Amino acid sequence: MKIGFIGLGNMGAPMAANLAKAGHEVVGFDVAGATAEAVAQAGSAAEAASGADVVICMLPNGDILRRVADEVIPAMERSAILLDCSTVDVASARDVAAQAEAAGLRPLDAPVSGGTGGAQAGTLTFMVGGGADAFAEARPLFDVMGAKAVHCGPSGNGQAAKICNNMILGVTMIATCEAFALADRLGLDRQAMFDVVSTSSGNSWSMSTYCPAPGVGPKSPADNDYRPGFAADLMLKDLRLSQQAAETADADTPMGQLAAELYRSFVEDENGAGRDFSAMLPRFEGRGRS
Ligand code: NAD
């Protein structure tokens, strides 16, 4: 396929490179001049988009996506697919999809999980909103860039799935970290805590796969001085998106709201920026009750 790829950052560059290596003709553009292996460079987003069967975006946020969409939609061939893999707010995803449909294009919102390691290895998971025919047509691209793609329903539902999942993740990580800190103060050994909880009803992915306690459980960022992994800043971004969506939809999400506030203070006031999101454990360790 002929692919335009807009946004060649930490995630976009390896994704674009994997598509090129798989034999697709990929033309990329990034405002910062970033490039990707085996990917031709265009002088603008519109140039990368013109003549493409699929235009993929991997951008920082919804405002930037809207600006890029204004530029690329008029440049795209009718019935081409606009595949946005960025994590953005549900409202931006749905507005851009409506704009693309009105121009005769087929939009898909397909945020990912799996991080930069997954982008490099081609093992991302895609959560996809949009039409079934476009999803089927984009399937070979998902297969190159990822290991799994789930069709979640109409436009915006990919973003909805992503922020709901990450709201659960933020909450369970905080719960796991505060429980470890409590166990410490009660004199309970961390290995014993892990052995019990990882096989009991308190278990979650945050405990059994990504344990925030160093030296306990499988290897995780905790064993690498909390270097990300999944940065607390990105968790904060996703939790904010979940709360923005909850407000729009009038959904009561007290745990998600509290998780967003805890990650906000961790990132903005407590040197959490640039640390893995599981570094909530040393944060709790160092604090008393008040
Ligand atoms: P990044 O900041 O490394 O990359 C974004 C790129 O977009 C940058 O290179 C930037 O120059 C470019 N850009 C900005 N405005 C542009 C414009 N108008 N035109 C063209 N290019 C433009 O970010 P990233 O880590 O690659 O993340 C990209 C998206 O993926 C984000 O929405 C993020 O939330 C999501 N995501 C990231 C991870 C991760 O672990 N990094 C995991 C899952 C999802």
Side-chain angles (χ1 to χ4, degrees):
M1 282 193 209
K2 196 159 179 261
I3 299 167
F5 206 112
I6 321 289
L8 301 170
N10 293 321
M11 297 290 289
M15 290 162 71
N18 283 338
L19 290 169
K21 278 183 227 156
H24 295 288
E25 187 186 336
V26 189
V27 180
F29 174 73
D30 190 297
V31 270
T35 57
E37 205 186 326
V39 171
Q41 239 182 309
S44 69
E47 189 188 322
S50 78
D53 303 306
V54 179
V55 173
I56 303 179
C57 296
M58 198 49 172
L59 297 162
N61 59 50
D63 287 341
I64 293 175
L65 172 68
R66 285 172 189 267
R67 285 208 296 277
V68 168
D70 285 342
E71 199 188 331
V72 298
I73 286 174
M76 287 174 66
E77 303 288 325
R78 275 185 83 79
S79 88
I81 295 174
L82 179 60
L83 173 57
D84 175 40
C85 296
S86 330
T87 303
V88 304
D89 56 290
V90 176
S92 291
R94 291 196 169 141
D95 288 351
V96 165
Q99 190 183 342
E101 264 165 12
L105 305 175
R106 291 179 295 159
L108 292 172
D109 56 291
V112 303
S113 73
T116 53
Q120 279 153 17
T123 56
L124 295 167
T125 295
F126 290 85
M127 295 146 254
V128 190
D133 63 325
F135 176 71
E137 218 168 292
R139 166 74 77 181
L141 306 185
F142 296 134
D143 289 344
V144 170
M145 297 185 287
K148 193 171 177 188
V150 181
H151 190 211
C152 300
S155 290
N157 281 21
Q159 300 294 347
K162 163 101 188 176
I163 58 173
C164 288
N165 179 73
N166 281 17
M167 188 173 82
I168 296 172
L169 176 62
V171 169
T172 59
M173 180 54 81
I174 290 171
T176 304
C177 291
E178 70 180 27
F180 263 118
L182 171 62
D184 288 347
R185 294 200 183 206
L186 297 175
L188 175 60
D189 177 67
R190 285 185 171 182
Q191 185 64 52
M193 167 84 176
F194 176 83
D195 291 345
V196 170
V197 175
S198 65
T199 54
S200 300
S201 46
N203 189 32
S204 70
W205 185 90
S206 297
M207 175 61 86
S208 59
T209 307
Y210 205 94
C211 182
V216 174
K219 275 255 173 299
S220 70
D223 300 302
N224 192 23
D225 203 21
Y226 295 101
R227 273 189 278 277
F230 184 45
D233 324 47
L234 284 175
M235 175 49 85
L236 174 59
K237 172 189 172 181
D238 292 355
L239 286 168
R240 280 180 166 150
L241 290 176
S242 75
Q243 294 317 291
Q244 200 177 326
E247 223 154 87
T248 310
D250 190 29
D252 188 21
T253 56
M255 303 298 282
Q257 199 172 351
L258 185 52
E261 175 49 26
L262 284 166
Y263 274 104
R264 187 207 60 75
S265 54
F266 183 55
V267 167
E268 292 180 358
D269 308 329
E270 298 162 10
N271 296 321
R275 303 190 81 195
D276 189 74
F277 83 118
S278 62
M280 272 284 165
L281 175 52
R283 174 196 182 273
F284 281 116
E285 260 171 56
R287 298 169 68 95
R289 197 153 173 79
S290 60

